[in-house]
Amino acid sequence: MTRPPASKNRSARPKLGSQRSSISTQKTEILINVYDLLPPGKLSSVLWFLGSSLLHTGVVIKSLNREYAFGGHDRPGISGVYWTRPSQEPPGGTFRCELLQGFTFRPDHEIESIIKQVSQNFQGTSYNLLNCNCNHFTSYLCEKLTNRAPPAWLNRAATIGVALPCVVPREWISPPDHDTADGELLEEDEEDERTSMLRHEQTRTHSFHGSFRGDENDGWSSEGDRRRRETGKGKGSLRDSEDRMLPASERAPPPHRHP
């Protein structure tokens, strides 16, 4: 009695190697880029050694080749999440190190969906140097993507500032000013490849759409919103949710104007 050829059964089975290859292509590195916001010198060196530096961080999604961060602005109903090319130093910042936060096996479209959902929780007008800053965003997004929190020392300066505001050096809260960060606000990325600002669904109820022209009172939901924008010239007038001056490194880039 003859047996049927075994080769047919073997060909019907998926190869283990191809399964591994398919899985490995979905593995994406999640990195954290760390920047020191204090000028190079003795103070910044000592604070870095103690793990208490004033830091800016961004989350790098390797498969997208983008670095996502959070900054403040004065446009109600619009997220402050934006992206830049990886390792692009913020104004006044010095690159310190790159941390491997972990990996995700989600496809790119799911990663982008998570970023959009997270961005809705980080409105530009809610930015606060101590309670809701770029490092809070980094921690939140990293936990969503990798299920683990980044190192606590990344935001230690803000933690100390909340607990002991009287002993925090002025430089920790207001480093030297520079030009506004050069990045792309996220929701505009869907409208034009050159831009990237994520807009919250709440924008449907506002008449202000990122233009700086026209009546300066249009779209402002409260007197506090207006006050954060008025008085002062140019970049120096932007403040956080508790009326502290925002350093340029913590300001979301302005929206690109479309023709």
Side-chain angles (χ1 to χ4, degrees):
M1 182 175 179
T2 60
R3 296 180 178 178
S7 59
K8 292 183 179 181
N9 293 334
R10 290 174 182 173
S11 62
R13 297 175 182 173
K15 294 181 180 180
L16 183 58
S18 64
Q19 287 180 324
R20 288 176 177 171
S21 176
S22 175
I23 293 175
S24 63
T25 57
Q26 300 175 27
K27 184 178 180 180
T28 299
E29 282 186 345
I30 307 299
L31 306 170
I32 300 175
N33 280 342
V34 183
Y35 307 88
D36 196 331
L37 297 182
L38 294 180
K42 184 175 181 180
L43 175 62
S44 62
S45 297
V46 170
L47 292 177
W48 176 257
F49 178 77
L50 297 175
S52 300
S53 300
L54 179 63
L55 302 175
H56 172 87
T57 57
V59 181
V60 178
I61 312 297
K62 291 288 286 186
S63 62
L64 301 179
N65 194 34
R66 290 180 175 183
E67 179 173 329
Y68 291 89
F70 171 55
H73 61 65
D74 54 10
R75 299 177 293 282
I78 301 177
S79 172
V81 177
Y82 64 95
W83 63 267
T84 65
R85 67 178 184 271
S87 302
Q88 177 177 305
E89 292 182 338
T94 302
F95 180 81
R96 278 291 193 176
C97 66
E98 178 186 84
L99 306 176
L100 176 60
Q101 169 65 17
F103 301 90
T104 181
F105 292 93
R106 298 178 176 89
D108 286 348
H109 73 273
E110 287 189 15
I111 295 175
E112 291 178 314
S113 178
I114 290 174
I115 293 172
K116 289 179 181 179
Q117 292 172 10
V118 168
S119 74
Q120 295 178 10
N121 296 324
F122 289 87
Q123 300 291 288
T125 53
S126 70
Y127 188 96
N128 186 289
L129 285 166
L130 298 181
N131 299 308
C132 185
N133 61 38
C134 62
N135 301 315
H136 291 101
F137 165 77
T138 291
S139 179
Y140 192 86
L141 180 57
C142 284
E143 288 194 57
K144 289 291 185 181
L145 293 174
T146 66
N147 295 317
R148 56 190 294 260
W153 56 266
L154 292 177
N155 209 23
R156 187 168 294 158
T159 303
I160 295 174
V162 172
L164 302 169
C166 295
V167 302
V168 176
R170 183 187 63 84
E171 291 84 357
W172 285 21
I173 302 303
S174 182
D177 205 1
H178 296 266
D179 292 333
T180 302
D182 182 16
E184 306 291 344
L185 293 171
L186 286 184
E187 185 184 74
E188 294 177 342
D189 187 36
E190 298 177 356
E191 303 170 359
D192 188 311
E193 285 297 323
R194 295 182 62 250
T195 56
S196 62
M197 186 173 256
L198 294 174
R199 188 168 304 181
H200 190 268
E201 292 180 359
Q202 185 182 359
T203 38
R204 298 173 184 174
T205 64
H206 288 282
S207 60
F208 187 80
H209 296 288
S211 173
F212 292 98
R213 298 176 180 176
D215 185 354
E216 67 177 11
N217 291 333
D218 287 348
W220 298 99
S221 59
S222 69
E223 182 62 29
D225 289 332
R226 291 193 197 90
R227 189 163 58 87
R228 282 197 294 273
R229 187 185 181 193
E230 66 187 11
T231 68
K233 298 181 180 179
K235 62 189 178 182
S237 62
L238 191 60
R239 298 176 177 273
D240 75 356
S241 62
E242 293 185 359
D243 208 34
R244 286 181 289 256
M245 191 74 72
L246 276 183
S249 59
E250 300 308 298
R251 300 172 192 165
H256 288 263
R257 289 173 180 161
H258 302 287

